[in-house]
Amino acid sequence: TRTELSILKKYACAIMEDLGGGDIVELGSGENLKIRSLLDACRSSLADFRYIPVDVSESALFESAMELIDCYPALEVSGIVADFTRHMQHIGGGRKKLFLFFGSTIGNFSDGERAAFLRDIAGLMGPDDRFVLGIDMIKPVPILEAAYNDSEGVTAEFNRNILHVLNRELGASFDPARFDHVAFYDKQKEQVEMHLRANSDFVVDIGDHDCRFLFQEGETIHTEICRKFSRASAAMMAEDAGLKIESWFSDLREWFSLVVMTRSRR
């Protein structure tokens, strides 16, 4: 997000302070816009660092790596093609590490997935390693719900896109027009939920699996969660995984934060 990028630019020097070299491991790296802010903050000592982007897309990794090498000739780049939620063992040890997980993607994990992922990170971290996590903070409910029910219908189309994927990959017969986009904030769970709600009765066939499903009007498919955090819930999440929060970097409204964590010494 633009907010996350602005936070990075503002606090890059503080995040990189005293790191003194080692591996910068970015999970789900995608484009390289965000990492450049951190690399610029340690440009004079780039030869002491190795950047390790981890992503499922080999082509995206290669393209991003070539761009970074052009911009930072002193930097060593060693990409890993992997699903970071399942293949963390491919990240080698032996050097000090700064782990990065931007984009507030942690909020899209279920409770179990989030706990397992953070425990895996903690298990890879040495006593001097750090983990920078992007998190989306709790905001007033009208603002949250308006963001996921935008007037242009962008989020609605994104939500319905899952049906196009099912049609393409499984030979299904979903008609996206038969589903309404529904998004709301659940205060108890501190998360936005996205659903697709059937607007009539109809049947869907999954051709590749010889399955048929009857949808009744009003029935929903739960498609996504977007967990939001307070400082207290983020601290509890970290503690449960064997991590502790060392510092916070936020925008002025504290609607988005970058949280620096270390491994708990216990």
Side-chain angles (χ1 to χ4, degrees):
T1 65
R2 285 181 295 179
T3 303
E4 185 177 51
L5 187 56
S6 67
I7 296 170
L8 267 175
K9 289 179 177 179
K10 184 175 181 179
Y11 296 107
C13 290
I15 291 172
M16 300 302 292
E17 186 179 16
D18 298 329
L19 198 59
D23 291 338
I24 303 172
V25 183
E26 184 176 5
L27 306 173
S29 54
E31 296 181 353
N32 57 38
L33 291 176
K34 293 172 183 175
I35 191 61
R36 293 188 186 208
S37 296
L38 298 182
L39 296 177
D40 287 341
C42 59
R43 187 180 282 271
S44 62
S45 58
L46 279 180
D48 298 327
F49 288 92
R50 176 174 58 177
Y51 174 56
I52 304 177
V54 182
D55 202 278
V56 294
S57 172
E58 182 177 4
S59 60
L61 276 176
F62 180 79
E63 182 177 345
S64 174
M66 296 307 295
E67 289 177 355
L68 286 176
I69 290 170
D70 285 342
C71 293
Y72 307 94
L75 179 68
E76 178 185 352
V77 179
S78 180
I80 299 176
V81 181
D83 178 349
F84 59 81
T85 64
R86 296 188 295 169
H87 304 137
M88 295 291 281
Q89 71 275 13
H90 295 310
I91 301 172
R95 286 163 58 102
K96 184 189 296 185
K97 285 183 171 53
L98 173 66
F99 290 94
L100 308 171
F101 192 39
F102 296 135
S104 69
T105 308
I106 192 72
N108 299 128
F109 292 3
S110 68
D111 290 346
E113 290 168 339
R114 184 165 53 250
F117 170 71
L118 293 176
R119 282 196 298 267
D120 284 345
I121 292 287
L124 290 172
M125 292 175 66
D128 298 321
D129 294 344
R130 299 176 192 165
F131 174 39
V132 180
L133 177 66
I135 58 175
D136 203 356
M137 306 295 284
I138 294 173
K139 306 167 187 65
V141 174
I143 291 174
L144 282 171
E145 294 190 340
Y148 288 86
N149 294 282
D150 57 287
S151 58
E152 295 82 7
V154 174
T155 309
E157 285 308 303
F158 172 81
N159 197 12
R160 291 191 185 95
N161 185 61
I162 191 173
L163 302 179
H164 293 292
V165 173
L166 291 171
N167 289 344
R168 182 179 68 247
E169 300 296 329
L170 300 179
S173 63
F174 284 100
D175 178 0
R178 290 181 175 269
F179 288 89
D180 296 327
H181 165 72
V182 179
F184 58 89
Y185 181 68
D186 185 319
K187 288 185 178 181
Q188 183 175 359
K189 296 180 180 179
E190 297 185 336
Q191 67 187 26
V192 173
E193 293 188 8
M194 295 210 304
H195 297 252
L196 291 170
R197 183 174 58 204
N199 53 35
S200 61
D201 297 343
F202 55 88
V203 172
V204 171
D205 292 306
I206 311 292
D208 292 354
H209 294 269
D210 195 27
C211 296
R212 171 168 287 189
F213 297 93
L214 171 63
F215 283 86
Q216 296 181 330
E217 182 178 358
E219 189 174 357
T220 68
I221 303 172
H222 188 177
T223 54
E224 187 171 332
I225 62 170
C226 305
R227 175 72 187 276
K228 311 302 175 183
F229 294 91
S230 63
R231 288 199 176 219
S233 62
M236 185 178 300
M237 172 181 69
E239 182 180 353
D240 289 345
L243 298 164
K244 65 176 181 179
I245 294 177
E246 184 178 78
S247 52
W248 287 81
F249 302 104
S250 302
D251 62 294
L252 291 176
R253 295 179 294 190
E254 202 160 302
W255 283 5
F256 192 90
S257 296
L258 293 175
V259 184
V260 181
M261 302 182 187
T262 57
R263 194 183 70 183
S264 298
R265 290 174 171 81
R266 61 181 184 183

